Amino acid sequence: MKIIDSESDIGLIAASYVKLRINQAGGRIVLGLPTGGTMESFYAHLIEFYAKGEVSFKEVITFNLDEYIGLERGSAESYRSYMNTRLFDLVDIEPANIHFPDVYAADLEKAGFEYDKKIESFGGIDIFLGGVGRNGHIAFNEAGTPFDAPTHKVKLEESTRKANSRFFGNDINAVPKYAFTMGMGTILKSKEIIILATGEKKSEAIYRAVEGNISTQWPVSALRLHDNSYILADTKALSQVSSASMNRLRACSLGSCGVKKD
Ligand code: GLP
């Protein structure tokens, strides 16, 4: 695991890196894409790069990390709508290259299995981008999820529903109780993992990601099991991380720079 700390816009740093990687790959790359407030600047910069002709999504393959179960198709609160309004409707991505877990499937276990197979059929995820929940969840993998879990249905924690209620008119009762998430096992198979975090509210999760035991109680700590994972965060989110860890893990940029392996 490596850490990149920045006081400038981390969404811009991540978007610039993804643009570079898309262009280096000749346009064809497989991305794992998240939702959430932290990622808004990332998507805003991607569409700006696209509008300036600096990147094309024509050949890009995407797999979204998660989706609520129980919302009506097309609901404004669904992650599909989030992605349509912030990226997909605004760039030249082919609809057939966009993938979401099928939360409307009759057999969700099978749908999870098929999602993972689909990812594998594209050679796996090249760059997995994610946020982190205050309780350390990644995508919707809550505490206790085994690190080898496939894509699956989850019961959301009360704290997660509360945190996400801001997207549901601050009404926790409107937040679905269940969701479908890319599993920790699926995520850890990605070739590169980048987790973005900003603000004090994420500082405990980031502390647990970096220090102490690697534990399913803090899914984000699984990043330490991955050879090519990054935390890209601001000073507030990193405020509980020791300076010894910062010195050991700090990298100068995404995708490169000498840092001792954790
Ligand atoms: C939701 C999503 C996660 C995301 C988290 C943090 O729970 N399922 O994928 O990482 O929110 O979101 P935010 O950036 O809004 O804090």
Side-chain angles (χ1 to χ4, degrees):
M1 177 208 284
K2 305 169 199 100
I3 299 175
I4 294 167
D5 56 328
S6 176
E7 274 322 289
S8 61
D9 181 356
I10 61 167
L12 174 59
I13 295 171
S16 304
Y17 179 64
V18 168
K19 173 179 74 173
L20 176 79
R21 290 288 308 277
I22 293 172
N23 289 334
Q24 280 177 343
R28 184 80 169 180
I29 201 163
V30 183
L31 300 176
L33 291 180
T35 57
T38 312
M39 303 308 299
E40 289 186 346
S41 140
F42 168 71
Y43 291 120
H45 287 296
L46 281 185
I47 59 176
E48 185 193 313
F49 293 152
Y50 169 74
K52 287 200 262 174
E54 295 174 7
V55 69
S56 164
F57 292 83
K58 201 91 194 141
E59 301 279 321
V60 173
I61 313 286
T62 66
F63 285 89
N64 262 81
L65 311 191
D66 44 14
E67 180 60 287
Y68 290 111
I69 292 176
L71 296 177
E72 275 178 37
R73 270 184 209 276
S75 147
E77 290 81 17
S78 69
Y79 284 169
R80 169 75 78 159
S81 294
Y82 174 108
M83 292 303 301
N84 286 347
T85 55
R86 286 171 181 80
L87 183 70
F88 297 149
D89 289 350
L90 306 168
V91 298
D92 59 346
I93 193 162
E94 293 291 341
N97 290 343
I98 297 170
H99 303 90
F100 263 85
D102 182 6
V103 291
Y104 303 100
D107 183 343
L108 288 177
E109 199 176 330
K110 186 163 161 244
F113 178 72
E114 280 169 2
Y115 201 60
D116 289 343
K117 288 268 280 199
K118 192 89 184 176
I119 292 172
E120 276 169 34
S121 76
F122 283 101
I125 292 172
D126 292 307
I127 312 177
F128 172 99
L129 293 125
V132 60
R134 294 170 207 187
N135 61 357
H137 72 243
I138 301 188
F140 268 137
N141 290 282
E142 298 282 25
T145 310
F147 287 159
D148 61 355
T151 296
H152 64 291
K153 178 181 174 179
V154 288
K155 187 170 192 317
L156 298 176
E157 297 281 346
E158 192 76 0
S159 64
T160 299
R161 293 177 62 231
K162 189 158 178 258
N164 290 358
S165 65
R166 68 191 194 284
F167 297 109
F168 291 81
N170 291 314
D171 176 9
I172 189 169
N173 296 315
V175 184
K177 293 192 169 69
Y178 293 92
F180 211 37
T181 183
M182 202 183 270
M184 288 305 296
T186 317
I187 293 169
L188 289 171
K189 281 186 201 145
S190 305
K191 290 168 200 149
E192 184 168 19
I193 300 178
I194 305 172
I195 299 292
L196 280 72
T198 56
E200 182 65 36
K201 284 175 181 154
K202 302 293 171 70
S203 64
E204 185 178 9
I206 296 302
Y207 168 77
R208 300 284 186 165
V210 179
E211 318 269 359
N213 296 334
I214 297 173
S215 159
T216 57
Q217 287 312 301
W218 290 88
V220 68
S221 68
L223 283 190
R224 272 185 274 160
L225 299 172
H226 194 280
D227 275 349
N228 197 20
S229 65
Y230 293 86
I231 288 175
L232 172 56
D234 67 5
T235 310
K236 285 187 178 145
L238 287 163
S239 58
Q240 295 190 41
V241 175
S242 69
S243 40
S245 295
M246 284 306 299
N247 290 339
R248 191 167 47 93
L249 301 173
R250 186 182 270 127
C252 57
S253 70
L254 287 168
S256 67
C257 295
V259 62
K260 284 183 230 150
K261 234 174 158 187
D262 191 24

